[in-house]
Amino acid sequence: MYALEIEHLKKTYSSGTKALKGVDLKVEKGDFFALLGPNGAGKSTTIGIVSGLVNKSAGSVKIFGYDYDTHQAQAKSCIGLVPQEFNFNQFERVIEILVNQGGYYGIPRPQAYKRAETYLRQLELWDKRNDMARELSGGMKRRLMIARALIHHPKLLILDEPTAGVDIEIRRSMWDFLTKINKQGTTIILTTHYLEEAESLCKNIAIIDHGRTIEDTSMKTLLSQLNTETFILYLQSPINDTHNLKSHDLSPFDIHVLDENTLEISIHEKMQFNHLFKLLTDNGIQVLSMRNKTNRLEQLFMRLVDKNRNNSELIETLEQTSHTENLDG
Amino acid sequence: MSWFEKYNALKTIIIKEYLRFIRIWIQTVLPPAITTALYFIIFGKLIGSQIGDINGYKYMDYIVPGLILMAVITNSYGNVVSSFYSAKFQKSIEELLVSPTPNYLILIGYISGGVARGIIVGIVVTLVAMYFSDIQVHSYTLSLFVFILTATLFSIAGFINAIYANSFDDISIIPTFVLTPLTYLGGIFYSIEMLPDFWQTLSLANPILYMISSFRYGMIGTSDTDITTAIMIIIGFTLVLFTFAMHLLNKGTGIRQ
Ligand SMILES: Nc1ncnc2c1ncn2[C@@H]1O[C@H](COP(=O)(O)OP(=O)(O)OP(=O)(O)O)[C@@H](O)[C@H]1O
Ligand SMILES: [Mg+2]
């Protein structure tokens, strides 16, 4: 049994937008799962359907074995949702928001209050418990929504961009907090546009684009697909004509001169750094420091999304052509 | 959800709805008290003394039941329409939609909030009325029954209005263009027997007439309409609107894309 199992999920909004054209996802129990995709890919729509905020057009959703169509209440009780946009009453107090949310899940007020205290303390909001929600800062509001999502001890926590607009320190403490509750057994699904966040937190990953799943695999497998990495090298002294970068030895490395003190070099996994540095030294080039050009997951992500963009353009053209043909016929 | 969990969920909605209008009592409870006091002074005391009796009752005593019920109608309706619409507007309705709370409890919870406001405002307006007139109650059972039923009916109506509303303007259109005219023409200030035949017959199509009539009968013992028919009509309307509101909620109209 999966924590979440989505099959052939489709959604067409009343505006006519086809937000989902066939999303398939399987999330294991206990997983820390990244759901990635560019803006407008359909992440929030998928999450909306799973959590009961959006009506699906087709497909099936199962949560811990409960089919959404037949066992909606049980399915909903398993899920805690931290939505992308703030969705609490701005004029309610922090503590009330939590206790009421507990009530909607059937938890008696005294018990809900105790749980609220636990989570507000852990998320460093206890001092703010009597403030109105609108008086909180953006980052505090995000944490309030995390506390609210946990009040009924959900088995599956879904966070839609929880770290958007959150400062580095709080983001780190959020990561620690999420890692902790994941270790305690809560399955977590996270969407984010910070790919290093997904890379460091998540075990498995799916990428959706244009309303379709284009990748669903483990983080390890995905990252191992990346067979070339690009590095930026900072040089001790400026490059000049005496340096022969086009030399035969260096040609397997893809070298670009960014400016006289900076080189960009792509290295295939089969190549050795030692070899590269030896050749650079032989050519009289001294390297001061170096860094990855982009995050590894980011490189892969861009590549997959680009590939999919071409594919979906192709599919759309094909669909249109067949449509036209049908009309003609 | 177990019965205990459902009980907790319903209780939560009711407490939240109750605290909402109590907290802003200056906007919710005080205005009807002031408006009715003005009605009593102007229509009851100043003009009423020139009018004489209706069906053998002093004009002031005759208009009291209608004024109480008018306050209940406006406030029950207004409570649910603004509370539910602002929950939609701020998206806090999603807190309920993601939870396992069944739709009928959501509806009953919001109705209870509207009825609670109706009761509080009803009590306040009655207290104001007692200052101007000798309140007598012909039948407590009937008065209370009609009172609660009317509050329920208009709470549901407010809920439906909120479901369809897409802007703050939309929540004042029905009260201004439908509710207020129907209430004024529902025989608060006059007996429909005083109207020409045509207008008398037309008035019978106004559901609010039946509520005011039966409530007045409950309080002072005189009525424009047959009480049993009136009550059947009110119950009928309530059931139809409740079913319709449930249908909209289940479909997700206005709250789920
Ligand atoms: N309520 C709505 N009505 C109509 N179309 C919508 C609605 N919500 C989303 N869409 C459309 O559905 C598509 C998917 O949107 P969605 O919000 O699911 O994307 P996303 O992957 O969450 O993007 P982001 O990273 O920007 O949050 C977009 O084309 C969007 O315009
Ligand atoms: Mg989104």
Side-chain angles (χ1 to χ4, degrees):
Chain A
M1 186 180 47
Y2 292 94
L4 174 65
E5 193 176 355
I6 294 179
E7 276 173 353
H8 314 308
L9 196 61
K10 292 189 182 164
K11 172 67 187 177
T12 308
Y13 282 106
S14 49
S15 61
T17 310
K18 287 190 170 145
L20 304 182
K21 300 169 188 163
V23 166
D24 294 272
L25 274 187
K26 286 189 172 68
V27 179
E28 303 266 1
K29 275 194 258 181
D31 204 348
F32 205 135
F33 191 92
L35 181 61
L36 307 182
N39 286 138
K43 303 179 296 294
S44 298
T45 303
T46 307
I47 291 172
I49 293 173
V50 170
S51 51
L53 299 176
V54 177
N55 288 331
K56 65 176 159 49
S57 307
S60 79
V61 175
K62 275 189 199 150
I63 292 142
F64 287 95
Y66 293 117
D67 192 314
Y68 215 85
D69 295 329
T70 53
H71 295 78
Q72 204 177 110
Q74 286 96 325
K76 281 178 167 176
S77 297
C78 295
I79 301 180
L81 172 70
V82 180
Q84 182 170 8
E85 286 169 45
F86 300 134
N87 70 341
F88 37 74
N89 185 333
Q90 300 280 338
F91 298 94
E92 265 176 45
R93 297 183 192 284
V94 169
I95 188 78
E96 278 177 283
I97 290 177
L98 296 193
V99 172
N100 286 343
Q101 183 71 78
Y104 302 150
Y105 284 95
I107 302 165
R109 295 180 87 75
Q111 194 184 346
Y113 189 87
K114 267 194 221 128
R115 290 187 185 185
E117 175 171 355
T118 312
Y119 289 119
L120 286 178
R121 281 191 192 282
Q122 287 183 19
L123 289 157
E124 294 167 56
L125 281 175
W126 181 241
D127 293 344
K128 300 279 177 188
R129 65 188 176 282
N130 290 318
D131 285 14
M132 275 195 212
R134 70 186 167 121
E135 295 166 345
L136 302 181
S137 75
M140 292 174 189
K141 287 177 181 166
R142 293 252 166 244
R143 281 178 281 151
L144 166 61
M145 294 205 297
I146 297 183
R148 186 184 62 181
L150 290 168
I151 199 83
H152 60 292
H153 294 168
K155 293 199 272 182
L156 171 62
L157 179 64
I158 305 179
L159 305 112
D160 199 349
E161 296 189 33
T163 51
V166 173
D167 74 35
I168 298 170
E169 196 187 335
I170 300 285
R171 196 183 303 169
R172 288 195 186 281
S173 74
M174 249 188 215
W175 291 350
D176 291 343
F177 179 77
L178 293 177
T179 310
K180 194 181 81 190
I181 60 170
N182 176 245
K183 288 223 171 78
Q184 288 165 358
T186 311
T187 311
I188 298 182
I189 299 176
L190 174 89
T191 82
T192 179
H193 292 292
Y194 303 111
L195 296 183
E196 66 277 18
E197 174 170 290
E199 188 180 336
S200 68
L201 289 174
C202 301
K203 290 198 273 276
N204 289 300
I205 181 171
I207 298 178
I208 57 178
D209 190 23
H210 286 94
R212 285 198 175 89
T213 316
I214 58 171
E215 193 63 71
D216 184 0
T217 175
S218 78
M219 190 67 77
K220 262 196 202 133
T221 319
L222 187 67
L223 288 175
S224 68
Q225 288 179 15
L226 190 67
N227 45 21
T228 35
E229 278 194 77
T230 311
F231 294 90
I232 305 289
L233 272 57
Y234 299 96
L235 311 182
Q236 190 164 36
S237 44
I239 277 249
N240 55 43
D241 298 341
T242 63
H243 301 124
N244 185 9
L245 290 175
K246 299 266 178 299
S247 85
H248 181 68
D249 294 343
L250 277 170
S251 62
F253 300 97
D254 186 12
I255 302 184
H256 296 274
V257 180
L258 295 184
D259 63 49
E260 51 178 23
N261 279 314
T262 326
L263 298 181
E264 182 184 309
I265 304 190
S266 296
I267 299 174
H268 194 268
E269 59 182 357
K270 299 239 164 58
M271 299 171 180
Q272 290 178 341
F273 273 109
N274 292 20
H275 185 51
L276 169 69
F277 281 114
K278 183 173 176 299
L279 292 174
L280 288 174
T281 316
D282 291 350
N283 275 285
I285 298 173
Q286 310 290 327
V287 179
L288 264 185
S289 63
M290 67 178 234
R291 64 168 176 85
N292 268 79
K293 186 185 179 199
T294 48
N295 165 275
R296 295 185 299 158
L297 183 55
E298 205 164 303
Q299 288 188 29
L300 266 171
F301 179 83
M302 293 312 297
R303 196 184 298 169
L304 287 166
V305 168
D306 277 345
K307 200 172 88 191
N308 181 58
R309 188 138 298 156
N310 300 336
N311 284 348
S312 45
E313 269 162 25
L314 187 69
I315 293 174
E316 240 135 72
T317 326
L318 287 175
E319 274 172 3
Q320 273 165 11
T321 340
S322 66
H323 192 60
T324 331
E325 277 163 11
N326 285 345
L327 282 182
D328 289 347
Chain B
M1 281 182 119
S2 67
W3 284 107
F4 179 64
E5 289 170 329
K6 284 182 182 160
Y7 160 78
N8 283 321
L10 179 61
K11 193 170 108 181
T12 307
I13 305 177
I14 296 178
I15 293 178
K16 192 187 65 144
E17 284 303 291
Y18 177 77
L19 290 179
R20 190 196 72 94
F21 75 79
I22 290 294
R23 206 174 284 150
I24 47 170
W25 64 276
I26 296 192
Q27 299 166 46
T28 53
V29 180
L30 192 60
I34 296 175
T35 328
T36 8
L38 289 172
Y39 276 119
F40 285 129
I41 293 168
I42 296 167
F43 288 99
K45 272 216 155 13
L46 303 178
I47 300 179
S49 54
Q50 315 281 317
I51 292 179
D53 295 356
I54 296 188
N55 296 352
Y57 295 89
K58 272 198 347 217
Y59 187 65
M60 174 76 95
D61 296 343
Y62 189 83
I63 64 171
V64 164
L67 286 176
I68 296 177
L69 212 64
M70 178 165 79
V72 171
I73 290 174
T74 339
N75 280 278
S76 295
Y77 190 96
N79 197 68
V80 183
V81 79
S82 42
S83 176
F84 195 74
Y85 180 69
S86 77
K88 245 177 74 169
F89 180 75
Q90 301 202 46
K91 294 183 175 216
S92 61
I93 189 61
E94 294 182 359
E95 294 178 337
L96 271 163
L97 297 182
V98 299
S99 82
T101 305
N103 287 338
Y104 69 89
L105 288 186
I106 299 181
L107 181 55
I108 293 176
Y110 273 90
I111 295 174
S112 308
V115 172
R117 167 133 159 227
I119 292 175
I120 304 260
V121 166
I123 291 173
V124 170
V125 171
T126 308
L127 290 176
V128 173
M130 283 166 81
Y131 180 78
F132 294 94
S133 120
D134 292 324
I135 300 258
Q136 350 138 10
V137 180
H138 180 71
S139 156
Y140 276 100
T141 330
L142 183 67
S143 313
L144 268 179
F145 183 69
V146 175
F147 182 103
I148 300 289
L149 206 58
T150 307
T152 308
L153 175 57
F154 283 94
S155 297
I156 308 174
F159 192 89
I160 295 172
N161 186 170
I163 280 194
Y164 281 113
N166 282 319
S167 70
F168 278 99
D169 289 336
D170 291 348
I171 68 174
S172 61
I173 286 177
I174 304 280
T176 315
F177 293 104
V178 181
L179 222 49
T180 314
L182 284 185
T183 319
Y184 278 81
L185 298 174
I188 301 181
F189 299 105
Y190 53 83
S191 162
I192 60 162
E193 283 164 22
M194 295 157 68
L195 299 175
D197 278 352
F198 171 75
W199 292 105
Q200 228 178 87
T201 318
L202 194 68
S203 292
L204 292 175
N206 177 0
I208 295 181
L209 174 79
Y210 298 91
M211 300 169 210
I212 292 178
S213 259
S214 4
F215 189 61
R216 178 178 290 131
Y217 184 80
M219 285 192 73
I220 62 178
T222 183
S223 163
D224 275 354
T225 57
D226 175 54
I227 295 305
T228 322
T229 321
I231 290 193
M232 295 318 271
I233 289 176
I234 310 175
I235 293 181
F237 264 101
T238 310
L239 290 179
V240 168
L241 287 195
F242 188 90
T243 315
F244 184 56
M246 273 313 294
H247 168 75
L248 292 177
L249 261 182
N250 288 336
K251 233 174 62 180
T253 309
I255 50 175
R256 250 183 283 132
Q257 286 111 8

